[in-house]
Amino acid sequence: MNLYPKRWHALGYLIAGAFLSPLDYFIVNMALPSIQKAFRASDQQLQMVIAIYGLTYAALVVCGGRLGDLYGRKKIFTLGLYLFLLSSIACACSPDIGFLIISRLFQGIGASLLAPQVLASIRILFSTGEQPKAVSFFSSVFGLASVAGQLLGGLLLNLHWMKLSWEMVFLVNVPITLICITGIHFTMDNTPEEKKQSIDYRGALLLISGLLVLICPLIFGQKYHWAWWIFGLISLGLLLLIIFLKYEVQLQQQGKPVLIDPVLLRHRPFALCLSVIFFYNFTSGLFICYPYYLQQFLYLNPVETGLAIIPYGASFFLGPFLIPRIQYPPSAMIFLGLGFLISGFSLTALYFYFYQQPGFTTNITLFLAGLGHGIIMPVIMRESISLVTKDKAGQASGLISIAIQVGSVTGGTVIGTLFFGTIEIFGFSKAFALAIGMIAVFQVAGIFSTTQLLKYNKSL
């Protein structure tokens, strides 16, 4: 097999570009209190700053994967970098919270062009024996981003360079994108273009509309005291998603290009893997609630806040590198990761129920939860991508990215809404404990899906 000679160099720049997406998520979470103060934004507007980015990313990431299949992954990856660069500058120059939310939408579009090119390139450029190592490197990016995002966010917010504060968390993307644009130009060849086909933009519009109509009422429900029309909008969002799926089936039956291949969703093992991915990304709720709790209730500065989250991020980063040393079947590794997640978040919730200040105990419990996240992520991603043929690699990687983003947005919305909505009822500490405890509860669904996956594999 003739492997692309610069594949490892190219992977480095691909991973660095993909690093921007999770980095931006974690670093912006750190800046939420500063953004709220600068624009006098509501809690719901802060949640929208996070949610609009993830929703746009989720709805368009399959288009990003398909565009890479059609026009070449280098071209689309570079286009994504340029769009991410310009939208980051727009975010930093935002005159009000509405402009910032719109700029974040365009950031999400740029991010949607980046991540699917990485997984699809790994599937194509690397041999079967090299793919686990390559995927582990890619998976470690998310853990590294959680560490770098918290620390870098805290440092930048404290720096006050040229009297800038929250603006710096967006401007830091500028040098990274410029380095990646230059590096990918010299190390990666463009993949051959496929026969040109139209892209299912109507499906993309239906998907993003359904997700927005579903998620926005969850965010603003507390503000409007959960009026009847809030539940009407949630029902409408679910209806739009059902219409989207039926539309995709109809397009496939007519032999037309689809946004999401219904065959992949009907492939039970792959669908079960997506379910696990969706629920373990509810961990995003931690990164919305914890920085806010530390800064707004305990009055820690951004650097102290960043240091408090390091135990989770450090073990999240180390987890993927431990995988090759643990010789267990994939299903056992998934159970192990979920077990660590449930234990870590349950113990963290129990601690904050009785105590307000984080300490050595929370360092241990968050380390345990982060380790679970770091273990499960590369295993489930590798298991998912191995279930499809090479010609479906772009579609599959897009669906994996959708599951990650929709899980993150849904989890952040549900956990964040629970936290913000119960502060006045229970107080900061117990509201935070309740929110973190719910993250553990949702992981039970992941255990159920993994059990079903194991039963299915044994029946073959």
Side-chain angles (χ1 to χ4, degrees), residues 45-249:
Q45 288 172 322
L46 291 183
Q47 285 183 278
M48 280 301 297
V49 169
I50 301 298
I52 194 68
Y53 173 79
L55 287 176
T56 309
Y57 186 150
L60 298 180
V61 71
V62 175
C63 285
R66 188 64 185 138
L67 286 169
D69 292 338
L70 293 177
Y71 299 103
R73 295 187 178 92
K74 179 180 177 180
K75 287 182 181 178
I76 300 305
F77 190 79
T78 304
L79 175 63
L81 288 170
Y82 276 114
L83 186 54
F84 202 91
L85 169 65
L86 295 174
S87 56
S88 294
I89 295 172
C91 286
C93 297
S94 297
D96 54 52
I97 191 68
F99 191 93
L100 176 59
I101 290 172
I102 293 172
S103 299
R104 288 281 285 168
L105 182 147
F106 284 99
Q107 254 194 329
I109 296 174
S112 72
L113 300 177
L114 298 175
Q117 315 313 326
V118 183
L119 277 177
S121 295
I122 288 173
R123 185 75 171 87
I124 301 298
L125 298 178
F126 292 87
S127 68
T128 303
E130 289 178 326
Q131 284 177 21
K133 183 178 180 181
V135 171
S136 291
F137 279 128
F138 176 56
S139 299
S140 68
V141 160
F142 295 86
L144 180 61
S146 69
V147 175
Q150 303 297 318
L151 277 182
L152 189 58
L155 290 171
L156 290 173
L157 289 166
N158 258 19
L159 188 60
H160 300 296
W161 182 67
M162 295 182 64
K163 297 184 179 180
L164 299 174
S165 60
W166 61 268
E167 297 92 342
M168 292 298 295
V169 304
F170 296 107
L171 292 176
V172 73
N173 296 328
V174 174
I176 300 175
T177 51
L178 292 176
I179 290 170
C180 290
I181 289 168
T182 304
I184 210 71
H185 175 74
F186 291 106
T187 60
M188 185 176 178
D189 293 334
N190 204 47
T191 52
E193 299 178 9
E194 295 182 4
K195 182 180 177 181
K196 297 295 185 293
Q197 300 180 39
S198 61
I199 294 179
D200 181 18
Y201 293 112
R202 288 183 182 177
L205 181 61
L206 268 175
L207 179 58
I208 194 170
S209 299
L211 290 173
L212 279 171
V213 175
L214 178 64
I215 295 297
C216 288
L218 292 175
I219 292 175
F220 289 96
Q222 179 69 24
K223 180 178 180 180
Y224 294 102
H225 307 290
W226 299 104
W228 66 267
W229 55 268
I230 291 288
F231 295 98
L233 285 174
I234 293 172
S235 300
L236 177 60
L238 292 172
L239 178 62
L240 285 173
L241 293 178
I242 293 171
I243 292 172
F244 162 73
L245 290 174
K246 290 186 175 181
Y247 175 71
E248 294 297 291
V249 172

Side-chain angles (χ1 to χ4, degrees), residues 326-385:
I326 306 175
Q327 302 300 318
Y328 289 146
S331 57
M333 294 300 294
I334 296 170
F335 280 125
L336 179 65
L338 289 172
F340 281 153
L341 279 173
I342 292 172
S343 301
F345 280 115
S346 297
L347 291 172
T348 301
L350 189 62
Y351 179 91
F352 277 102
Y353 183 83
F354 293 104
Y355 306 100
Q356 296 181 345
Q357 293 277 356
F360 178 76
T361 301
T362 54
N363 289 340
I364 299 298
T365 59
L366 288 174
F367 184 91
L368 189 64
L371 186 61
H373 200 159
I375 287 174
I376 191 175
M377 188 171 193
V379 176
I380 196 68
M381 289 174 70
R382 187 168 68 242
E383 185 74 3
S384 302
I385 206 72

Side-chain angles (χ1 to χ4, degrees), residues 390-422:
K390 286 189 176 183
D391 62 305
K392 298 287 186 182
Q395 280 270 316
S397 62
L399 280 170
I400 291 169
S401 295
I402 281 183
I404 291 172
Q405 292 304 317
V406 174
S408 295
V409 172
T410 306
T413 299
V414 172
I415 302 303
T417 299
L418 180 65
F419 172 59
F420 291 123
T422 56

